[in-house]
Amino acid sequence: MKINVNELDKYIDQEITFSGFVDAIRDKKWVMFVILRDATGKVQMTIEKSEEANAPLLEIMSNLKVESTIKVTGKVVANEAVKLGGLEIIPSNIEVTSIAEDLPFDFNNLDGVNIDTRMDYKWIDMRNPRNTLIRQVESCMTKAMRDYLYLNNFTEIHTPKLIGAASESGSEVFEVKYFDGSAYLAQSDQFYKQMALAGGLDRVFEVGPVFRAENSNTNRHATEFTGFDLEFAYIDSYEDVMSLEEDLLIAGLTAVKEQYGDKILEVFGKEVIVPTKPFPRMKLKDLYEEFHERYGFDIPKEDIGDMNAEAEKLTYKLAQEKFNSEFMFITDYAATKRPFYHMRDEEGKLQGYDLIWRGTEITSGAQREHRYEELSKNAKEKGLGKDVEFYLQFFKYGCPPHGGFGIGLDRLTMLLLGLSSIKETQFLFRGPNRLNP
Ligand code: ATP
């Protein structure tokens, strides 16, 4: 494996090979400094002009454009005068491994570069350390949450994304040609997670793509995003689901803070705050009342029983003012506004929640309806017929009480780093007008 910049200090006074991008070339009178870069940092390569043996190396570097990649054989030397990590590489051989043309924009200064141009050339945009950091932080968060679940006996599953029937409702689903007929892209893995529980696995999760044919151009909607979804059995109420989500997010944010907290503050100006349990909870009705009293805000008629973007923003304000928290669980949504598989109690009260973080919904969760008769009734009420027939069967042959939730991973990352849009957050954004690259 290649030696990385952040490992070079282990090789002081040794002959090594090092590969990376040519980040900058500073051609001085007596010496040429070449800054090399890889995913872990930058290092200086120093070529003395007075040394005859260096002539071919200088010749190679003089004709090379920045962002080309090279493989250097040379000695790692400790040198306090070198600002970049206190060491330098003194090369004896340089091999050019790829040649770069002039770049379409300066990735080190993205101010004023159109977001569409940046997305067109995502692989160049990403070379800005800020953008590599987005990926690294997301990876750290995902790993920590995965680790937490593995430690707690969850099994990671992979469910199909090509499905035969629109899963929850027909409106937000992409239809694709499938031989002589049609298939659909999965809007969620909800039904299959539950099927796994009916199959005897107690605790399952999946990190995978979710497709939504939402023709909306908000800062937080994509047509394809990554869902971090889980489902677990033998719960007593949706309180158990919220409790697990608290632990999961605490595990994820603790790891991110430890590994990247300082960097995130430096680069994005955002403090990573690890929340404590329990996160505040409010019933929707009480929330509306507080909104009215505190902020003179009333939820529009069409959104009664639910939230809208403005209400999510105010929830953050309220969470901070009232509970000194960045998070808030909202419960007691109207059953008419929620999917048919969310459980309701005897009075018809919904046994589910949304979690709002920093002004945006990141999760919907619930105890699920596992009783066949009830579930069939709820589905009928929503006008869902044949399409969910196969799903209802999962509950006919014994299925433990259970619940779960889905986190939008892209939104989590966006909010964690305080990014203004999911376009900037996703590795490759997918929206109504964007399918490439
Ligand atoms: P919203 O009301 O914001 O459109 P939703 O109620 O449709 O979200 P769910 O179906 O509950 O969302 O999906 C679970 C999670 O997935 C959401 O809480 C959110 O974090 C994320 N999510 C949903 N839709 C999108 C989308 N189009 N792009 C990115 N993330 C999304």
Side-chain angles (χ1 to χ4, degrees):
M1 288 272 270
K2 164 185 146 36
I3 298 171
N4 287 327
V5 168
N6 66 0
E7 301 166 317
L8 283 171
D9 56 357
K10 291 190 218 141
Y11 296 90
I12 305 258
D13 293 332
Q14 290 183 42
E15 186 88 356
I16 57 146
T17 59
F18 176 82
S19 297
F21 283 93
V22 176
D23 189 73
I25 300 173
R26 292 188 195 116
D27 199 2
K28 308 277 182 198
K29 194 163 181 200
W30 303 109
V31 68
M32 183 187 272
F33 297 117
V34 178
I35 307 301
L36 300 173
R37 184 185 79 237
D38 69 14
T40 67
K42 294 181 187 179
V43 62
Q44 175 176 303
M45 173 171 79
T46 309
I47 313 174
E48 292 289 344
K49 292 192 174 172
S50 55
E51 302 252 346
E52 234 168 76
N54 283 345
L57 309 185
L58 290 163
E59 164 85 15
I60 291 173
M61 292 314 300
S62 307
N63 291 309
L64 205 59
K65 288 195 172 136
V66 289
E67 296 306 302
S68 301
T69 66
I70 59 175
K71 183 174 177 182
V72 180
T73 307
K75 199 168 167 183
V76 182
V77 174
N79 180 352
E80 276 181 18
V82 178
K83 285 200 198 106
L84 213 52
L87 54 81
E88 61 192 339
I89 299 176
I90 309 296
S92 53
N93 188 52
I94 295 173
E95 186 191 327
V96 176
T97 47
S98 103
I99 294 175
E101 291 182 17
D102 287 333
L103 268 59
F105 55 86
D106 176 8
F107 62 81
N108 282 310
N109 182 9
L110 293 171
D111 291 348
V113 184
N114 184 290
I115 184 75
D116 277 299
T117 309
R118 290 177 53 191
M119 286 194 286
D120 288 342
Y121 291 98
K122 185 70 196 199
W123 67 99
I124 293 171
D125 181 62
M126 277 182 70
R127 293 182 195 176
N128 184 305
R130 185 177 188 275
N131 295 333
T132 26
L133 185 59
I134 296 176
R135 297 278 66 80
Q136 288 160 338
V137 168
E138 187 173 82
S139 167
C140 174
M141 182 84 187
T142 315
K143 177 182 184 300
M145 294 201 298
R146 262 204 175 99
D147 287 350
Y148 174 84
L149 294 178
Y150 281 127
L151 259 176
N152 285 282
N153 298 313
F154 276 76
T155 301
E156 183 164 8
I157 58 169
H158 306 282
T159 67
K161 303 306 161 203
L162 271 177
I163 53 175
S167 45
E168 294 175 30
S169 68
S171 59
E172 288 179 354
V173 70
F174 287 111
E175 189 175 345
V176 294
K177 201 167 162 298
Y178 196 71
F179 303 106
D180 291 333
S182 287
Y184 303 89
L185 297 179
Q187 293 164 285
S188 113
D189 55 3
Q190 185 59 37
F191 292 176
Y192 296 121
K193 282 190 294 180
Q194 292 182 265
M195 186 200 207
L197 300 190
L201 284 172
D202 281 355
R203 300 172 180 191
V204 297
F205 78 101
E206 176 171 25
V207 188
V210 177
F211 302 92
R212 300 273 168 101
E214 288 175 303
N215 198 359
S216 56
N217 286 299
T218 71
N219 72 330
R220 61 188 194 286
H221 287 96
T223 49
E224 178 178 353
F225 64 93
T226 302
F228 192 110
D229 286 85
L230 64 82
E231 211 69 26
F232 60 114
Y234 302 110
I235 63 168
D236 293 322
S237 94
Y238 67 103
E239 280 286 341
D240 296 341
V241 183
M242 293 198 280
S243 173
L244 185 111
E245 180 157 17
E246 288 169 338
D247 289 332
L248 183 73
L249 288 169
I250 288 170
L253 290 170
T254 302
V256 169
K257 190 175 180 75
E258 270 172 27
Q259 217 173 319
Y260 291 104
D262 293 343
K263 210 110 195 236
I264 292 172
L265 190 60
E266 177 195 323
V267 176
F268 296 99
K270 274 272 160 195
E271 191 186 349
V272 179
I273 298 172
V274 179
T276 49
K277 260 182 112 166
F279 300 177
R281 293 143 161 71
M282 279 189 80
K283 295 191 167 94
L284 192 63
K285 187 169 73 57
D286 298 336
L287 194 72
Y288 288 169
E289 272 172 27
E290 292 257 9
F291 284 169
H292 181 79
E293 277 164 28
R294 283 179 187 245
Y295 314 122
F297 172 80
D298 293 304
I299 193 93
K301 234 194 188 139
E302 65 273 19
D303 292 325
I304 288 179
D306 204 351
M307 296 278 273
N308 63 13
E310 176 72 14
E312 288 178 15
K313 295 269 165 307
L314 290 177
T315 300
Y316 181 33
K317 199 166 150 74
L318 185 65
Q320 287 176 299
E321 285 174 14
K322 194 172 163 120
F323 302 104
N324 190 26
S325 168
E326 294 192 313
F327 289 89
M328 181 114 89
F329 283 118
I330 313 296
T331 64
D332 294 68
Y333 285 86
T336 48
K337 301 279 187 184
R338 300 275 120 166
F340 73 99
Y341 50 80
H342 283 200
M343 188 179 264
R344 303 142 195 208
D345 69 6
E346 306 78 56
E347 291 148 26
K349 229 167 61 156
L350 204 83
Q351 305 296 294
Y353 68 88
D354 273 4
L355 179 59
I356 316 291
W357 186 33
R358 295 180 170 173
T360 299
E361 176 201 319
I362 55 164
T363 304
S364 286
Q367 173 158 12
R368 316 301 187 189
E369 182 54 76
H370 64 286
R371 297 162 299 180
Y372 175 78
E373 296 300 334
E374 297 292 323
L375 193 60
S376 306
K377 189 168 88 38
N378 293 352
K380 256 192 214 111
E381 263 174 39
K382 294 263 182 195
L384 295 165
K386 272 211 157 12
D387 284 350
V388 297
E389 215 21 77
F390 80 100
Y391 166 70
L392 297 177
Q393 301 298 313
F394 306 164
F395 305 91
K396 247 185 164 172
Y397 306 97
C399 178
H402 63 278
F405 57 82
I407 301 179
L409 195 61
D410 320 73
R411 278 198 200 170
L412 202 68
T413 309
M414 175 176 91
L415 297 164
L416 175 57
L417 302 177
L419 304 175
S420 59
S421 156
I422 199 162
K423 284 184 182 173
E424 204 190 349
T425 312
Q426 284 193 316
F427 172 40
L428 291 164
F429 172 72
R430 286 291 178 263
N433 301 314
R434 167 116 356 219
L435 281 169
N436 288 304

